[in-house]
Amino acid sequence: MNAKPESLLPPLDVERIRADFPLLARTVHDKPLIYFDNANTGQKPRSVIEAVDRHYREHNANVARAVHQLGEEATAAYEGARDAIARFIHAPSRDEVILTSGTTQSINLVAYSYALPRLKAGDAILTTVMEHHANIVPWQLVAERTGATVKAAPIDANGELIVERFVEMLTPEVKLACVTHVSNVLGTVNPIREIARECRKRGIPLLVDGSQAAPHRPIDVQALGCDFYAITGHKMLAPTGTGALWAKREHLMAMPPFFGGGEMIREVRFEGTVFADPPHRFEAGTPNIAGFAGVAAAIEYLEGVGFDRLKAYEQDLLAYATAALEDLPGIRIFGRAKEKEPVISFLLEGAHANDMATLLDLQGVAVRSGHHCAHPLMHFFGVPATLRASLAFYNTKAEVDGFVDAIGRVRKLLM
Ligand code: PLP
């Protein structure tokens, strides 16, 4: 039987979905939990929790090193996650998918294995003002060691990348461009296809930080036209300590290993070691096998929901939450991009973000406060911190109402 196209599926049944996430039923400080910190890390459906549990109960062994039954099962779970990720991001080949501990490791792998051997004094890496520190600091570390520089393309007051400026800054010294797909602070969706086209015209490889995109939209690395794409499992329903780097095969073949150890070699002699082909060349040591069993389950869950339905639901929730916040006096929202994922950064006039977050927590509301690992962006907006409500497809309008009421109560306490 053919699967129904997503557009013919009934709208998302949020109560049924919530029943799949055990943690959403708990209370915090005797109040029902309202979990609006999804950009930080997402909650896990039962199928993911059970996949991890089942792995340890029934299949636990190390990967690739054993010919016994359990070793084969563990290897199948781990390699199955690679297949699932390749399918999820539309990679042309599973061998172009390196399994990592998350985006931070994925980007550092590119920094040390791709950029470090290539960059020299006078070269530049181009990034943007809205990046997470994970897409800034590795480039600074590599720049320090090579004499290269890190440049940042500006954004406008709405929190959108000024694409013309980005393109103007793609000068011949730029040897790598690194851009987030979606801002973790503002929700801004960057026009990656256009950026990738401009990079390609100039022969500049493009790395995309997909941490905040993969939980919300279908990813097709071939259609995007980038060279490297990094994702992190824990923001897309999967366990912490899992993630992936996709890279074009031509880059992977030219990259030396970043970590050395077991599982990444073909032959080791003291006269010299022959490394395995990608992806194993980049996967030294024992990985988070149980975590990757959870990644496969998370991807299956997301595919079951379907991104058409998920997106329609989340966009409606974002519009509802934005309007509700705007109705409150003294609220300043950061990030008004035309295309946004469901992330709202804001401040209440006269109140410190951390005080607000602490008091909201006492009302059962989990939001993040602080700089969100994006100091340059805070600097751009001239604030040390914001509050961030980041929504997921298992959140509801009733929770948004509860959140807005909680802000009202907190305001009374603070003012
Ligand atoms: N990039 C972005 C845009 C993020 O939001 C995050 C996490 O907050 C990261 C990178 C780092 O991801 P991880 O800590 O999973 O490596």
Side-chain angles (χ1 to χ4, degrees), residues 204-412:
I204 299 171
L206 172 67
L207 174 139
V208 179
D209 174 350
S211 309
Q212 298 289 349
H216 302 293
R217 47 180 44 233
I219 306 297
D220 184 333
V221 292
Q222 299 180 70
L224 288 172
C226 56
D227 293 77
F228 302 95
Y229 197 94
I231 59 171
T232 192
H234 70 99
K235 295 186 203 286
M236 41 176 278
L237 313 184
T240 51
T242 61
L245 172 73
W246 168 79
K248 281 185 178 161
R249 186 176 157 75
E250 68 202 68
H251 297 316
L252 291 177
M253 290 308 287
M255 283 161 60
F258 174 35
F259 288 123
E263 293 311 322
M264 47 77 73
I265 48 85
R266 204 175 287 154
E267 187 174 7
V268 178
R269 291 183 187 276
F270 282 106
E271 300 75 50
T273 288
V274 183
F275 302 117
D277 283 337
H280 301 290
R281 182 190 297 177
F282 303 104
E283 295 177 4
T286 300
N288 182 359
I289 307 162
F292 281 105
V295 168
I299 289 176
E300 256 175 49
Y301 192 95
L302 283 170
E303 288 171 341
V305 174
F307 275 107
D308 270 9
R309 285 201 294 179
L310 181 149
K311 194 155 190 53
Y313 182 86
E314 285 186 346
Q315 287 297 313
D316 185 46
L317 198 60
L318 172 65
Y320 184 80
T322 306
L325 275 178
E326 277 169 341
D327 274 351
L328 294 174
I331 291 280
R332 176 180 174 198
I333 293 181
F334 299 82
R336 300 280 192 175
K338 282 184 284 302
E339 201 182 355
K340 269 185 76 162
E341 292 303 354
V343 176
I344 312 174
S345 271
F346 66 99
L347 282 176
L348 175 65
E349 212 180 313
H352 194 280
N354 288 344
D355 295 343
M356 288 272 297
T358 306
L359 292 170
L360 283 170
D361 175 56
L362 294 174
Q363 312 276 330
V365 178
V367 290
R368 183 158 177 202
S369 65
H371 53 68
H372 315 293
C373 300
H375 276 156
L377 187 58
M378 295 294 113
H379 186 69
F380 172 81
F381 283 113
V383 293
T386 69
L387 283 150
R388 180 185 68 185
S390 50
L391 313 176
F393 62 97
Y394 45 67
N395 291 129
T396 65
K397 288 186 180 172
E399 287 183 309
V400 172
D401 295 342
F403 162 64
V404 170
D405 289 347
I407 294 178
R409 287 193 292 275
V410 165
R411 175 208 297 279
K412 282 198 191 123

Side-chain angles (χ1 to χ4, degrees), residues 39-41 100-107 130-135 180-185 209-213 230-235 240-243 368 372-373 388:
N40 207 354
T41 198
T100 67
S101 63
T103 295
T104 303
Q105 191 192 335
S106 297
I107 294 179
M130 72 170 84
E131 301 305 316
H132 187 283
H133 295 163
N135 202 20
T180 195
H181 198 163
V182 171
S183 159
N184 63 312
V185 183
D209 174 350
S211 309
Q212 298 289 349
I231 59 171
T232 192
H234 70 99
K235 295 186 203 286
T240 51
T242 61
R368 183 158 177 202
H372 315 293
C373 300
R388 180 185 68 185

Side-chain angles (χ1 to χ4, degrees), residues 124-198:
I125 298 167
L126 179 60
T127 184
T128 83
V129 166
M130 72 170 84
E131 301 305 316
H132 187 283
H133 295 163
N135 202 20
I136 300 174
V137 182
W139 310 122
Q140 291 176 324
L141 292 172
V142 162
E144 252 173 40
R145 287 168 62 168
T146 55
T149 52
V150 179
K151 304 195 290 182
I155 60 172
D156 65 18
N158 288 328
E160 290 190 320
L161 181 65
I162 306 173
V163 178
E164 314 81 71
R165 282 294 298 133
F166 182 89
V167 172
E168 281 165 18
M169 291 174 81
L170 287 172
T171 50
E173 310 84 76
V174 176
K175 298 296 184 294
L176 183 66
C178 309
V179 178
T180 195
H181 198 163
V182 171
S183 159
N184 63 312
V185 183
L186 309 172
T188 306
V189 180
N190 281 320
I192 297 298
R193 283 181 195 226
E194 187 185 346
I195 289 170
R197 201 166 43 242
E198 295 300 330

